[in-house]
């Protein structure tokens, strides 16, 4: 049976314990500030995601913007991870590590950032098109964003997590794409990863009930080919086993009395294709 607990914004939360936390107005305000910063950082990256730029240059911009805003990168040092963001290119599903690799014309790249601002985590990721991107890649990106937004449309009190999962899976498979099962969305707030787990494929009417005050991410990973993934030797980078293209979008949301609030919307409208 799913357990829920109401928490105050200043409660000390030590670790994930399987109980879903329900936050109040102060928590919503903290998440708004952290989410807005995360979205602003991705907005600022848009002119830098071009052919010839190394992903470590993008990472440096991300780290500098977080520090300048009084935040810290949640990923830096997290379980040994050495960078301030993730950059996942083409067939990389998630957790690509920034480095010397140069972006090329035609690439699609997911950039995932999580600043911690005043103790709150603003977690979001977005697809960027590098130069002239082939039509099949453009379409994958568009459908993946549609999957995210259809999932978010199901995020309202009384629904269940399975309603979100099914909306995402149904739309992706309608376009003959596959949804990755190896990774999922997650609760967040004072913790980077908390309960519940948000699976992106499943049956409607199943899973924990959505209640006002829940905070979690929805972050579907959609492949042109099969859903199977494998981990590279670095222990972080996940790639499609058949080397097909993969795309992902992520928002952090909070369940309200009427529906949900998206904390990580782009102030400039850059969080959905087509891009400026």
């Amino acid at each position: 049976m799913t357990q829920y607990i109401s928490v105050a914004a200043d409660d000390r939360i030590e670790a994930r314990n399987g109980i879903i936390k329900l936050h109040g107005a102060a928590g919503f305000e903290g998440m708004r500030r952290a989410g807005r910063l995360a979205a602003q950082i991705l907005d600022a990256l848009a002119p830098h995601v071009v052919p010839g730029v190394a992903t470590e240059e993008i990472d440096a911009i991300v780290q500098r913007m977080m520090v300048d805003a009084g935040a810290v990168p949640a990923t830096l040092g997290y379980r040994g991870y050495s960078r301030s963001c993730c950059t996942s290119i083409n067939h990389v599903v998630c957790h690509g590590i920034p480095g010397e690799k140069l972006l090329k014309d035609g690439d699609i790249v997911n950039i995932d950032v999580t600043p911690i601002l005043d103790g709150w985590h603003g977690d979001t990721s977005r697809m960027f098109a590098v130069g002239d991107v082939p039509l099949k890649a453009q379409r994958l990106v568009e459908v993946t964003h549609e999957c995210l937004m259809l999932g978010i449309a199901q995020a309202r009190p009384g629904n269940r997590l399975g309603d979100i999962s099914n909306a995402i899976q149904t739309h992706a498979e309608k376009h003959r794409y596959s949804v990755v099962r190896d990774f999922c969305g997650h609760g967040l707030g004072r913790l980077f990863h908390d309960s519940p787990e948000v699976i992106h494929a499943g049956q409607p009417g199943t899973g924990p009930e959505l209640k006002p005050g829940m905070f979690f991410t929805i972050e579907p990973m959609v492949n042109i080919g099969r859903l199977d993934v494998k981990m590279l030797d670095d222990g972080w980078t996940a790639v499609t086993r058949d080397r097909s293209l993969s795309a992902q979008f992520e928002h952090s949301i909070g369940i309200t009395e009427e529906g949900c609030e998206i904390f990580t919307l782009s102030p400039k409208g850059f969080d959905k294709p087509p891009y400026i």
Side-chain angles (χ1 to χ4, degrees):
M1 182 176 178
T2 304
Q3 292 182 285
Y4 303 82
I5 185 171
S6 296
V7 296
D10 57 353
D11 281 354
R12 185 173 180 84
I13 299 173
E14 297 290 350
R16 181 173 180 169
N17 57 11
I19 300 174
I20 296 175
K21 299 167 182 65
L22 305 178
H23 300 268
F28 272 84
E29 182 55 34
M31 289 298 289
R32 286 186 196 111
R33 293 195 303 270
R36 187 181 307 117
L37 174 60
Q40 289 170 338
I41 290 169
L42 291 184
D43 282 357
L45 292 178
H48 301 280
V49 184
V50 294
V53 170
T55 51
E56 62 187 3
E57 296 177 49
I58 293 170
D59 185 73
I61 296 170
V62 170
Q63 183 175 14
R64 183 172 65 251
M65 288 192 68
M66 289 186 189
V67 172
D68 288 349
V72 295
T75 58
L76 187 60
Y78 179 79
R79 296 183 178 177
Y81 192 80
S82 61
R83 297 292 184 174
S84 298
C85 70
C86 299
T87 51
S88 303
I89 304 169
N90 294 334
H91 71 290
V92 177
V93 175
C94 60
H95 304 156
I97 303 173
E100 297 178 353
K101 184 178 178 61
L102 303 181
L103 297 176
K104 303 190 306 295
D105 186 68
D107 285 344
I108 55 173
V109 56
N110 177 274
I111 302 177
D112 191 338
V113 301
T114 308
I116 308 173
L117 183 64
D118 298 327
W120 298 96
H121 292 72
D123 193 359
T124 187
S125 80
R126 191 184 305 172
M127 296 301 297
F128 291 81
V130 184
D132 186 17
V133 172
L135 183 59
K136 70 174 184 177
Q138 293 181 34
R139 187 59 184 145
L140 172 66
V141 169
E142 290 167 358
V143 170
T144 303
H145 183 264
E146 291 165 2
C147 286
L148 170 66
M149 299 312 294
L150 287 168
I152 288 175
Q154 294 297 318
R156 56 182 182 267
N159 273 7
R160 294 185 176 271
L161 281 175
D163 298 315
I164 296 173
S165 308
N166 186 256
I168 291 168
Q169 180 182 5
T170 299
H171 191 66
E173 293 180 352
K174 182 177 75 172
H175 292 275
R176 300 185 178 181
Y177 297 147
S178 59
V179 179
V180 172
R181 269 67 159 183
D182 295 66
F183 302 94
C184 62
H186 52 88
L188 82 169
R190 289 289 191 183
L191 296 180
F192 191 1
H193 296 101
D194 204 351
S195 298
E197 291 188 345
V198 182
I199 309 300
H200 301 114
Q203 295 299 314
T206 62
E209 180 181 351
L210 304 181
K211 297 188 177 186
M214 290 174 65
F215 295 162
F216 54 87
T217 70
I218 305 176
E219 46 184 298
M221 286 146 272
V222 178
N223 301 343
I224 281 183
R226 296 179 59 83
L227 58 85
D228 308 277
V229 306
K230 66 177 181 180
M231 298 296 297
L232 298 187
D233 291 341
D234 60 27
W236 284 101
T237 307
V239 300
T240 54
R241 191 168 288 275
D242 60 7
R243 297 189 66 83
S244 63
L245 291 176
S246 185
Q248 179 190 20
F249 283 89
E250 175 184 16
H251 275 313
S252 295
I253 70 169
I255 302 297
T256 66
E257 296 290 342
E258 297 80 24
C260 75
E261 178 177 348
I262 304 175
F263 298 126
T264 48
L265 283 174
S266 162
K268 295 184 177 180
F270 288 177
D271 50 6
K272 58 184 179 298
Y275 301 108
I276 297 175

